Amino acid sequence: MAKPLLQKIVEDFRFEDLPSSWNSFDIEKFSKNKKLWDYQQDAVKNAIKVLYKYYEDFVDYSETESNEVNQTRKERLWQLYLDNGLNEDIDIRLDRRKRNICNLLTDYYSPQNNKVSYQNFINRMCFWMATGSGKSLVIVKLIHNLIELIRRNEIPPCDILFLTHRDDLILQLRKHVVEFNTVNEPHIILHELKEYPEVKRHGDLFGIPVFYYRSDNLSDEQFEKIIDFKNYDNEGKWYIFLDEAHKGDREDSKRQHIYSIISRNGFLFNSSATFTDIRDIITCAYEFNLSSFINAGYGKHIAILKQEMRAFRDNEDYSGEEKQKIVLKSLIILTYVKKFYEKIKKVKDDLYHNPMMLTLVNSVNVEDADLKLFFRELERIGKGEITDDVFNTAIDELWQEIKEQPELMFEDGERIKFNESVFKGITPKDILKYVYNSKTFGAIEVSFRPSDRKQVAFKLATTNRHFALMKTGDMPNWLKNELSRFQVNHRFEEEGFFETLNREDSDINILMGSRAFYEGWDSNRPNVINYINIGIGEDARKFILQSIGRGVRIEPIKNKRKRALSLYNAKELDETIFNNIKNKVKTIETLFIFGTNRQALQEILTRLKEQKGTEITIGHLFTVNPNCQQLPLLIPVYKESAQPIYKKDIKTKFEINQDELALLESFINYLEDDRILLMRYNTDLEKLKVLKESLQNQDHFLVVTDKKYKNLDILLQRIFDYLGYIPKEFERLKELEKEIRHFENIKVELTDITDLQNKINMIKDFPRLKHELSNLYGKISPDEYTTRAQRLKDEETFETNNKRIKIKYIANHYYLPLIMSVDEKIAYIKHIITVGSERRFIEDLEKYLNDSKNKFNQFDWWMFSKIDASLDQVFIPYYNPKTNRIDSFYPDFIFWLKRDNDYIILFVDPKGTEHTAYLRKIDGYKELFEANGSEKQFSYNGYKVKVSAKIRPDDVAKVPQEYRKYAFDNVQDIL
């Protein structure tokens, strides 16, 4: 199964470690009121890392380089794919029967063995991101970053072209760009591709031109709207952004090759929620598809119910009662969800969304259209034409399934539990109230605007509130023919029902239609989706994934788009509110799906999960060491300083090259009007004054190193940013709670975890098994005792695909057991010890502990733990010159040592890191925990607490004298 190889490649190095001209972007800001979510920022960072690898690491870009240099980059990137496990044949095979495609490809590439090597197309990256995840914002942000990298002369000045397959998606891009331009410079100015010759002749006075066009109107022929790409080829020097531009195209589509051809000497950026082509998946730089979106807490859970809508199948003969029963089941689930929404609203009025049902059908206009049959059953139920037997049977059949707690997709066996009394208490009157917005049954009335019959709303005659909306390309013929039997109300409001669907005052509880509206709209409201006669082909698969993506969005509180538990864990949801709703939210945080063919739906989502890889969380196999549970394991807590860096006497200074320092002095002296700097860099007079003083007294804030910025503009902005940063201060000590939690998130990608699980449990039980064996001494034969003792182990090895890990019982470690790799790179398990320096430290520590005279014996008790920088919250804040901001230093290990009333928190980092990096981290430690060269003493419940730090550099002898006391070579030196 294909995996996102490009993402794997770029995640081996950090964005923060790139040169300053590559990482000095504000990745978060989008507009005045909008910031990129963390996963959107990660997508942008991964894209920049790919470009860095391509345009600087392989061959550093030069303005005078030839196109042949770009071929060298392609060769290097292709080889990198091969080195990282690319073994699929993804070359483009030439089919001589498709002469136009063959001719197109051979015009630009040299085939071998009747195929074109995919190395020619490898200058591309894909973003596989769920519907509703904000791909468009990522595209706009990345376009702006490209513009800035061009200005910094880091990448070629190729033109930028945005392609998508629908006009409304172009309109959406326009809206995003207008919003983005309000707070960002330079402005992005959009032009239709047909304007290209004119724009290139005269330029654009108002900003940077970015071109756009309908992707399906790009061809190798010229008509009125269809344009010949060769007229805009520009030697293939384009940065092409495709947004869902693969829609409706087969693997060998001519247009897909055209996109690659016109970006052959530039780069191709492809974004979609529904990649199926192996080439798109392999070249994926960032994967955050539906599975990842939900697992990260950003979307609703998904439950596919077994109750199939078979009664609507064309070739199966079901009675009207069977059709009514399946519609009733979906209305019962919607009513159940709405009851919980009502309970949540009583806690706080503005939590969550008003639940809604979405019904998507295959046929709209034929004689026995799916939409017509579904609507008929809604009408009958609204009139009260249901018997007690049918209703009770629907309740009972549904309960037989849901009492077993339906499994949630993508979430490793997690299930949803239904409240029996609430569910079985639902009556037809409840459906009237919660779905039909009425107290009594009644005939259907129809509402629409004569000028817009794409939207038709329905209500019962017994209420003035509408409850359902049908949105199609036009009013279906069968409904037009039957209008005479309905009361018709023409509405003349400027906005239609669909446009106001997300407003709090929207009464619509059911939205019906075909594929006309599954894209291009966003709503948190769907909690039930019905798929009626939607097939299982590739088109249907994309449609289902897209429409589910429209249904999974969640927003428990305004502008916070994660499920409640994730918000609570991140301290973004009040504890009192969370405690009042935590037992009610899973229902409204779940999307319930009914399908005509449940197996087909399951297969589609399962395939998505398999493309990601089947990750199994095994955190439940690990446990906090019982010896830790009664001990006060302390960690420091920090707060923001009341003053920025320039008002404090800090040890870490801004790094600058001597030549660039001289250039900076000349430039500042040359400018006579301070307002130029104040406006250009959005700074203030106080910072400018500090900068000028620093140029006179360079020891104050500046330090001369070999660090180069290569751009005076970047240099000045980073200095002003540096002066404005707010450092962290020590606030207090607290006892460890969930700040170390990486062991709960250890994941494996294995088809069978039985052997691993058994070995983990055996090592975890080592002390109990040892104790049980000691109690048998003298009670069993010496031979049997010896045999059992030999079987008793405090270490096991697990191996798969020739990659080994060790499972260890270490008596003083915070959690049990500890896992570390034997081989450096382990792909099938996450959040264990894999780095060589950490492995060596553990081995050295174990060896030292075997010495009866080791210094740890001098303490009343001691414990230690591995720290995982990606998940844990135990760190030391420091100013990082590489990123020019306050970063967090996550040492690899923390030790807690207690003797009498003396308590030591000891951070140990054995990475063997290069000296400038560890010096800055030690500076951060000294700022917080030392005074006049000695450790500060803090009080906690009678303990005299000190915080210490030790780092193992590559060579202790090369450590500057003032930092020597923080360095260690041997384990005993950390004490």
Side-chain angles (χ1 to χ4, degrees):
M1 187 64 69
K3 301 288 177 61
L5 277 184
L6 186 56
Q7 177 167 327
K8 174 188 170 187
I9 289 168
V10 298
E11 285 183 347
D12 281 342
F13 60 98
R14 299 191 331 143
F15 175 79
E16 290 75 19
D17 292 336
L18 298 182
S20 57
S21 56
W22 285 89
N23 70 10
S24 55
F25 302 104
D26 184 340
I27 300 292
E28 185 179 35
K29 184 178 72 173
F30 187 85
S31 63
K32 185 177 180 181
N33 300 312
K34 193 175 290 180
K35 295 179 179 178
L36 296 190
W37 298 103
D38 53 0
Y39 64 85
Q40 293 169 323
Q41 294 178 52
D42 289 340
V44 174
K45 288 178 180 179
N46 276 14
I48 293 172
K49 288 197 286 183
V50 173
L51 293 173
Y52 166 77
K53 201 80 181 164
Y54 194 75
Y55 286 112
E56 181 151 324
D57 193 33
F58 291 155
V59 183
D60 195 3
Y61 166 69
S62 166
E63 291 179 85
T64 58
E65 71 181 30
S66 65
N67 289 339
E68 284 68 32
V69 174
N70 204 46
Q71 291 304 116
T72 302
R73 292 192 182 99
K74 290 183 182 182
E75 291 170 13
R76 294 283 302 276
L77 183 55
W78 180 250
Q79 186 59 50
L80 195 58
Y81 274 99
L82 296 175
D83 293 342
N84 279 272
L86 174 61
N87 47 35
E88 292 90 348
D89 180 5
I90 59 174
D91 292 341
I92 307 295
R93 297 189 177 279
L94 299 177
D95 186 343
R96 298 298 173 184
R97 292 169 298 180
K98 298 173 181 175
R99 188 173 300 174
N100 58 345
I101 292 179
C102 285
N103 292 341
L104 177 69
L105 289 171
T106 53
D107 281 347
Y108 292 91
Y109 308 107
S110 300
Q112 292 182 332
N113 300 321
N114 209 37
K115 60 183 183 180
V116 178
S117 170
Y118 205 72
Q119 175 180 301
N120 293 291
F121 307 89
I122 206 65
N123 55 324
R124 71 197 309 266
M125 66 178 87
C126 294
F127 302 88
W128 190 8
M129 299 176 69
T131 302
S133 63
K135 297 187 298 295
S136 301
L137 301 187
V138 171
I139 289 172
V140 173
K141 187 71 174 178
L142 190 49
I143 286 173
H144 199 258
N145 291 146
L146 285 186
I147 292 168
E148 189 56 42
L149 285 168
I150 291 170
R151 291 177 66 187
R152 297 177 183 186
N153 205 31
E154 294 290 356
I155 63 175
C158 300
D159 292 307
I160 299 171
L161 173 62
F162 172 84
L163 296 170
T164 191
H165 69 300
R166 289 212 322 266
D167 290 332
D168 60 300
L169 296 179
I170 291 176
L171 182 61
Q172 178 178 280
L173 177 79
R174 282 188 168 281
K175 290 178 180 177
H176 287 324
V177 166
V178 168
E179 182 183 4
F180 186 81
N181 283 343
T182 57
V183 294
N184 290 282
E185 293 278 354
H187 287 174
I188 296 171
I189 309 299
L190 293 175
H191 296 274
E192 192 177 56
L193 184 57
K194 285 184 175 182
E195 301 173 40
Y196 181 75
E198 186 73 14
V199 173
K200 293 302 287 183
R201 267 195 304 273
H202 302 293
D204 199 313
L205 298 175
F206 303 103
I208 305 298
V210 172
F211 300 91
Y212 67 87
Y213 211 64
R214 280 275 296 262
S215 55
D216 52 345
N217 287 336
L218 203 60
S219 184
D220 56 353
E221 299 175 290
Q222 188 80 29
F223 298 102
E224 183 180 354
K225 287 189 177 180
I226 304 293
I227 63 173
D228 188 343
F229 80 93
K230 294 187 287 294
N231 296 330
Y232 305 90
D233 181 63
N234 192 32
E235 295 185 350
K237 293 178 180 178
W238 282 96
Y239 296 123
I240 304 290
F241 285 83
L242 303 177
D243 184 20
E244 302 287 1
H246 63 294
K247 292 287 176 182
D249 287 332
R250 299 187 307 278
E251 177 187 308
D252 61 353
S253 164
K254 189 191 334 183
R255 282 198 300 272
Q256 296 300 314
H257 298 316
I258 288 172
Y259 305 148
S260 295
I261 289 169
I262 59 176
S263 60
R264 65 192 180 277
N265 289 314
F267 219 92
L268 181 68
F269 305 83
N270 194 359
S271 302
S272 178
T274 55
F275 282 132
T276 55
D277 191 317
I278 185 175
R279 301 174 183 91
D280 292 327
I281 296 169
I282 286 170
T283 59
C284 184
Y286 190 72
E287 177 272 304
F288 201 68
N289 63 24
L290 186 61
S291 172
S292 302
F293 189 72
I294 291 169
N295 272 305
Y298 283 99
K300 299 186 186 89
H301 310 288
I302 295 178
I304 302 177
L305 298 177
K306 295 176 182 176
Q307 312 292 317
E308 293 185 331
M309 295 197 153
R310 297 178 66 89
F312 289 94
R313 281 189 173 179
D314 296 335
N315 58 352
E316 299 194 27
D317 187 19
Y318 282 89
S319 67
E321 282 191 356
E322 288 296 322
K323 288 182 171 67
Q324 185 181 86
K325 193 168 64 175
I326 191 62
V327 174
L328 269 173
K329 288 176 180 178
S330 61
L331 298 182
I332 288 166
I333 290 289
L334 180 60
T335 301
Y336 179 82
V337 178
K338 280 182 167 285
K339 279 177 170 280
F340 277 86
Y341 172 62
E342 191 174 60
K343 293 173 186 287
I344 291 169
K345 290 274 285 184
K346 291 176 181 176
V347 176
K348 194 170 186 291
D349 187 65
D350 60 351
L351 294 174
Y352 289 95
H353 55 273
N354 182 11
M356 179 183 76
M357 182 166 76
L358 186 57
T359 295
L360 298 167
V361 301
N362 184 51
S363 59
V364 172
N365 239 339
V366 296
E367 177 61 29
D368 288 323
D370 305 324
L371 189 57
K372 175 182 177 181
L373 297 177
F374 182 83
F375 171 73
R376 283 280 171 82
E377 297 311 320
L378 278 186
E379 183 183 6
R380 288 177 61 206
I381 294 168
K383 286 180 176 180
E385 295 176 2
I386 48 175
T387 65
D388 289 345
D389 283 347
V390 170
F391 186 83
N392 292 335
T393 303
I395 284 271
D396 291 342
E397 287 181 359
L398 200 46
W399 177 250
Q400 289 307 308
E401 174 183 358
I402 62 178
K403 73 178 183 181
E404 301 298 328
Q405 302 181 22
E407 190 171 344
L408 301 172
M409 290 298 299
F410 309 128
E411 297 183 71
D412 298 331
E414 188 175 344
R415 296 176 178 271
I416 180 166
K417 183 178 181 179
F418 281 72
N419 184 305
E420 183 174 3
S421 63
V422 174
F423 183 82
K424 288 192 170 181
I426 293 173
T427 66
K429 290 286 188 182
D430 288 326
I431 293 177
L432 272 177
K433 172 186 173 181
Y434 290 103
V435 180
Y436 287 85
N437 296 324
S438 179
K439 293 181 180 179
T440 54
F441 296 107
I444 290 279
E445 294 187 354
V446 178
S447 299
F448 62 92
R449 282 187 295 177
S451 61
D452 178 15
R453 296 195 298 184
K454 295 178 181 179
Q455 298 185 42
V456 183
F458 305 94
K459 73 179 189 69
L460 298 186
T462 52
T463 178
N464 60 359
R465 296 172 61 198
H466 292 79
F467 74 94
L469 175 66
M470 184 184 292
K471 188 172 188 298
T472 53
D474 190 12
M475 183 187 294
N477 290 330
W478 54 265
L479 185 56
K480 291 177 190 175
N481 297 335
E482 296 181 12
L483 272 183
S484 59
R485 69 182 183 87
F486 298 109
Q487 174 71 37
V488 176
N489 304 299
H490 288 160
R491 296 172 58 91
F492 297 95
E493 287 87 345
E494 284 301 311
E495 290 184 291
F497 287 97
F498 188 68
E499 287 71 24
T500 59
L501 202 65
N502 289 334
R503 287 205 322 219
E504 291 182 13
D505 59 355
S506 173
D507 291 326
I508 300 299
N509 294 318
I510 300 175
L511 181 58
M512 300 173 280
S514 62
R515 304 186 184 196
F517 64 96
Y518 80 96
E519 283 186 318
W521 67 286
D522 295 312
S523 179
N524 306 316
R525 293 189 58 196
N527 273 97
V528 180
I529 296 184
N530 298 322
Y531 290 105
I532 301 180
N533 287 327
I534 303 296
I536 58 172
E538 280 304 306
D539 285 348
R541 178 169 178 256
K542 292 174 183 178
F543 168 64
I544 286 169
L545 290 176
Q546 287 279 1
S547 52
I548 287 177
R550 293 295 168 200
V552 297
R553 291 181 63 154
I554 193 79
E555 196 170 4
I557 53 181
K558 189 74 172 172
N559 297 321
K560 298 293 182 183
R561 292 187 172 175
K562 273 194 171 185
R563 297 192 296 270
L565 181 59
S566 297
L567 295 178
Y568 173 67
N569 289 339
K571 298 182 179 178
E572 295 180 324
L573 181 60
D574 179 79
E575 183 174 1
T576 303
I577 293 175
F578 177 73
N579 288 333
N580 284 328
I581 67 172
K582 65 182 179 182
N583 296 323
K584 305 177 182 73
V585 297
K586 197 156 191 177
T587 299
I588 199 168
E589 290 185 346
T590 301
L591 178 65
F592 299 95
I593 298 177
F594 292 84
T596 309
N597 184 336
R598 179 183 188 268
Q599 186 177 352
L601 285 173
Q602 193 98 23
E603 182 184 329
I604 286 168
L605 295 181
T606 300
R607 279 179 61 191
L608 178 68
K609 186 175 181 179
E610 287 172 353
Q611 283 172 328
K612 177 182 172 60
T614 307
E615 280 189 345
I616 303 171
T617 300
I618 59 170
H620 61 284
L621 300 178
F622 300 82
T623 184
V624 173
N625 191 328
N627 297 330
C628 288
Q629 293 178 2
Q630 304 304 318
L631 298 176
L633 305 181
L634 303 179
I635 59 170
V637 177
Y638 311 99
K639 65 179 180 180
E640 285 194 344
S641 172
Q643 296 178 318
I645 278 180
Y646 73 86
K647 292 187 177 180
K648 298 173 71 70
D649 182 21
I650 70 160
K651 297 177 174 61
T652 309
K653 298 176 173 57
F654 186 87
E655 297 183 3
I656 187 170
N657 172 271
Q658 182 64 61
D659 292 337
E660 291 184 349
L661 175 60
L663 180 63
L664 177 64
E665 283 187 87
S666 299
F667 181 69
I668 296 294
N669 291 333
Y670 169 77
L671 287 177
E672 296 180 353
D673 191 340
D674 289 345
R675 289 175 298 180
I676 297 173
L677 290 171
L678 296 176
M679 291 293 291
R680 173 71 180 167
Y681 302 103
N682 193 27
T683 190
D684 55 55
L685 278 169
E686 199 167 359
K687 289 181 196 170
L688 183 56
K689 179 183 176 184
V690 171
L691 171 60
K692 290 184 174 182
E693 290 174 353
S694 297
L695 293 174
Q696 303 301 317
N697 178 17
Q698 291 172 10
D699 289 338
H700 190 36
F701 281 108
L702 303 176
V703 59
V704 175
T705 66
D706 59 357
K707 190 173 182 66
K708 294 181 179 179
Y709 297 89
K710 299 193 294 186
N711 184 303
L712 188 61
D713 210 33
I714 296 172
L715 171 60
L716 268 165
Q717 186 62 65
R718 285 173 75 89
I719 288 177
F720 287 123
D721 288 345
Y722 165 82
L723 294 172
Y725 281 127
I726 307 293
K728 295 278 179 64
E729 295 177 347
F730 173 81
E731 182 180 20
R732 60 188 172 90
L733 295 166
K734 74 176 289 286
E735 293 189 27
L736 185 70
E737 293 176 281
K738 283 285 189 179
E739 288 80 9
I740 295 178
R741 56 177 179 267
H742 67 268
F743 62 95
E744 297 174 349
N745 293 276
I746 293 177
K747 297 180 180 181
V748 294
E749 197 170 309
L750 300 170
T751 53
D752 185 0
I753 66 167
T754 306
D755 186 32
L756 176 61
Q757 181 173 324
N758 290 339
K759 288 181 176 181
I760 288 174
N761 286 335
M762 187 175 71
I763 300 304
K764 185 170 59 180
D765 284 348
F766 171 75
R768 180 180 62 81
L769 298 171
K770 184 178 180 182
H771 178 70
E772 289 175 357
L773 182 62
S774 66
N775 288 338
L776 292 174
Y777 187 75
K779 298 177 182 177
I780 58 177
S781 69
D783 287 346
E784 185 178 352
Y785 187 89
T786 301
T787 300
R788 290 195 183 190
Q790 289 172 342
R791 285 204 302 260
L792 189 63
K793 297 179 181 178
D794 63 358
E795 181 179 306
E796 267 285 6
T797 300
F798 174 82
E799 181 175 344
T800 185
N801 296 329
N802 298 317
K803 295 290 184 179
R804 296 167 296 157
I805 58 174
K806 286 184 180 178
I807 306 161
K808 290 174 169 287
Y809 175 84
I810 300 180
N812 294 82
H813 194 257
Y814 174 61
Y815 63 87
L816 301 171
L818 182 71
I819 296 187
M820 55 188 250
S821 67
V822 176
D823 306 287
E824 184 77 19
K825 283 196 173 184
I826 300 287
Y828 64 82
I829 188 166
K830 292 181 179 178
H831 304 302
I832 65 166
I833 292 175
T834 58
V835 180
S837 58
E838 296 175 24
R839 297 202 311 268
R840 287 192 296 275
F841 177 76
I842 292 292
E843 291 164 356
D844 292 347
L845 178 63
E846 288 183 294
K847 185 177 180 181
Y848 180 61
L849 292 174
N850 288 330
D851 183 349
S852 59
K853 296 180 181 179
N854 75 73
K855 294 180 182 179
F856 287 99
N857 290 332
Q858 299 172 10
F859 293 90
D860 301 335
W861 60 260
W862 68 278
M863 286 287 167
F864 83 110
S865 181
K866 164 75 179 117
I867 296 174
D868 185 318
S870 65
L871 291 170
D872 298 333
Q873 287 300 307
V874 180
F875 60 94
I876 299 172
Y878 76 108
Y879 167 70
N880 184 352
K882 273 193 172 182
T883 60
N884 194 43
R885 67 179 180 220
I886 305 301
D887 273 349
S888 297
F889 164 38
Y890 292 90
D892 291 325
F893 299 96
I894 180 173
F895 284 74
W896 300 276
L897 309 105
K898 184 261 181 188
R899 179 170 54 205
D900 299 327
N901 289 329
D902 292 326
Y903 190 116
I904 299 170
I905 300 171
L906 171 62
F907 291 107
V908 177
D909 197 83
K911 279 194 185 74
T913 184
E914 52 94 7
H915 72 282
T916 54
Y918 75 69
L919 295 185
R920 301 304 165 231
K921 292 171 181 177
I922 289 296
D923 285 342
Y925 157 77
K926 290 161 68 176
E927 296 277 353
L928 295 161
F929 300 112
E930 286 190 355
N932 301 318
S934 299
E935 293 166 350
K936 296 177 183 177
Q937 182 171 291
F938 308 99
S939 295
Y940 185 89
N941 287 355
Y943 292 120
K944 295 179 288 184
V945 183
K946 293 183 178 181
V947 181
S948 186
K950 295 286 184 180
I951 289 184
R952 178 188 270 170
D954 289 328
D955 185 351
V956 173
K958 293 182 179 179
V959 176
Q961 191 61 43
E962 64 175 303
Y963 294 93
R964 191 71 61 87
K965 70 175 183 176
Y966 306 101
F968 75 94
D969 222 348
N970 302 305
V971 170
Q972 60 264 32
D973 295 338
I974 68 173
L975 302 177

